[in-house]
Amino acid sequence: MEQFQLKPTIFFGSDALAALEGLAGRRVMVITDSFLAQSGLLERVRARLRDCTVEVFDQVVPDPPLELVAQGARALAEFRPQAVVAFGGGSPMDCAKAMLEFGKKLGAGADIRFVAVPTTAGTGSEVDAGGVLSCEDNDEKLRLGDPRLFPVLSIVDPELMVSVPARLTAYQGFDALFHCVECYISNTNTPMGDMVCREGIRRAAAALPTCINNGDDLEARSSLAFANTLGGYAMDASGTTGSHGLEHGMSAHHHDLPHGAGLIMIARAYHTWMIDHGVAPERYIDMARLMGNAAADDPHDFVIELTRLMEACHVADLAMSEWGITVEELPAIAHNALTTNGVLFSHDPVTLTDPDIVEILKLSYR
């Protein structure tokens, strides 16, 4: 028996922000970061909430630390909103989910409407109940997940993503791509997941170069945004693999490393490892075809297409050393990843040991 939790209600497309007007008359807390709070984008949200009593919590940072979540939960309990709007990338959405969970224990209320408004195409957090927090004292990244944390409403407006710089678009877009890729080869794959993974891979691979080289192209931005949402549904229906778990170990040790950049650096070695160990050859060939090589007939063609896409997006030469990662610490990163993200490694079609993970890191290292 298979179970699918595909939520929430989605408003997708240009001017989808108008859906916020449905919150009229409510007390609303907007959870975002300082950059967006100072940008014109937040004012577009405020304009749609003009008939609401609005409080802004703008302290969110990437991979929100537990201390920040606790601070936000206290603010939530004090303001007692009827709705929460998470506005931004994955971190504001992750932080909002954690604040809602912690806030209930402080009396914030259990019936707060949770609305997600992504400004990036990367995490798929607008349609899932998971999140990533950090415990900086222990150099750990912690996973949050509870079906109660699904947004009730998601507003995906590609116009909000047009101003994202090219490099960040690449990091985020490859994250969305890898959600679909990993769920497709995961040992948790499902028919529902396969359907959304295949379309997400096709759209992400086609749209990414245009989004990066011509960021004002709204059609490409829309397609990438849809691929990102599909990636969120892929995680709901299936599950990402040890590649994601390994990157969490990397960025837990180096907090300034963007999640998508880490994934880009290890993807080719990880998937080559899987292919060389006989994993899902038909699926790898299928993904190569979805990415543009209609004549693909070898699983390794997927890695060739992945490299081609990275080159088109100017990220093929990312180096761990740029973020201060050293060869000497690779065993510690591997051990951290395996011990703190074991559930993701359990989705791998081939079991990876500590030495295997170290070898994948070494093969990826520049």
Side-chain angles (χ1 to χ4, degrees), residues 6-130:
L6 302 182
K7 304 176 181 178
T9 299
I10 298 176
F11 286 82
F12 187 97
S14 297
D15 204 36
L17 269 182
L20 285 176
E21 294 176 5
L23 298 176
R26 291 181 171 87
R27 293 172 62 83
V28 178
M29 175 173 278
V30 178
I31 298 172
T32 188
D33 58 48
S34 59
F35 173 79
L36 286 171
Q38 296 167 22
S39 74
L41 293 181
L42 182 60
E43 292 310 308
R44 294 177 60 179
V45 171
R46 284 184 174 276
R48 297 295 187 177
L49 298 174
R50 57 187 174 276
D51 295 325
C52 301
T53 301
V54 177
E55 177 85 2
V56 176
F57 181 84
D58 61 2
Q59 305 303 308
V60 178
V61 297
D63 298 325
L66 295 176
E67 296 81 2
L68 175 66
V69 170
Q71 175 189 343
R74 290 191 294 270
L76 194 73
E78 181 177 343
F79 182 63
R80 298 186 66 82
Q82 296 164 295
V84 159
V85 174
F87 180 63
S91 292
M93 286 183 274
D94 290 356
C95 192
K97 292 171 186 176
M99 284 170 56
L100 286 165
E101 188 67 11
F102 281 64
K104 291 173 186 175
K105 301 173 184 178
L106 300 176
D111 57 351
I112 300 172
R113 280 180 71 81
F114 176 31
V115 180
V117 184
T119 61
T120 65
T123 67
S125 296
E126 71 273 14
V127 294
D128 71 27

Side-chain angles (χ1 to χ4, degrees), residues 32 37 61 75 80 87 89 149 158 166 168 171-172 182 190 198 203 211 215-216 242 248 253 316 344 360:
T32 188
V61 297
R80 298 186 66 82
F87 180 63
L149 298 179
L168 291 180
Y171 296 162
Q172 296 154 1
E182 292 177 36
T190 65
R198 295 184 77 253
R203 283 181 175 268
C211 290
D216 293 333
H248 287 321
H253 278 245
L344 297 180
I360 289 171

Side-chain angles (χ1 to χ4, degrees), residues 63-64 66 69 94-95 97-98 101-102 128-135 140-146 149 179 182-183 186 188 234-236 238-249 251-252 259 336-347:
D63 298 325
L66 295 176
V69 170
D94 290 356
C95 192
K97 292 171 186 176
E101 188 67 11
F102 281 64
D128 71 27
V132 177
L133 307 176
S134 62
C135 180
E140 292 180 351
K141 289 176 75 172
L142 309 175
R143 297 175 65 251
L144 175 73
D146 190 309
L149 298 179
H179 289 155
E182 292 177 36
C183 288
S186 167
T188 63
M235 291 185 284
D236 294 335
S238 303
T240 53
T241 65
S243 183
H244 255 69
L246 178 50
E247 198 297 310
H248 287 321
S251 50
H259 176 56
N336 180 316
L338 194 56
T339 54
T340 60
N341 287 275
V343 66
L344 297 180
F345 285 96
S346 74
H347 298 164

Side-chain angles (χ1 to χ4, degrees), residues 153-210:
L153 176 66
S154 291
I155 297 170
V156 184
D157 188 338
E159 289 186 358
L160 297 173
M161 305 172 188
V162 169
S163 62
V164 178
R167 184 52 63 101
L168 291 180
T169 296
Y171 296 162
Q172 296 154 1
F174 272 94
D175 188 15
L177 172 69
F178 291 137
H179 289 155
C180 295
V181 167
E182 292 177 36
C183 288
Y184 195 47
I185 60 106
S186 167
N187 61 26
T188 63
N189 67 72
T190 65
M192 178 67 76
D194 289 353
M195 179 179 69
V196 296
C197 287
R198 295 184 77 253
E199 181 63 8
I201 292 166
R202 186 187 70 80
R203 283 181 175 268
L208 259 168
T210 301

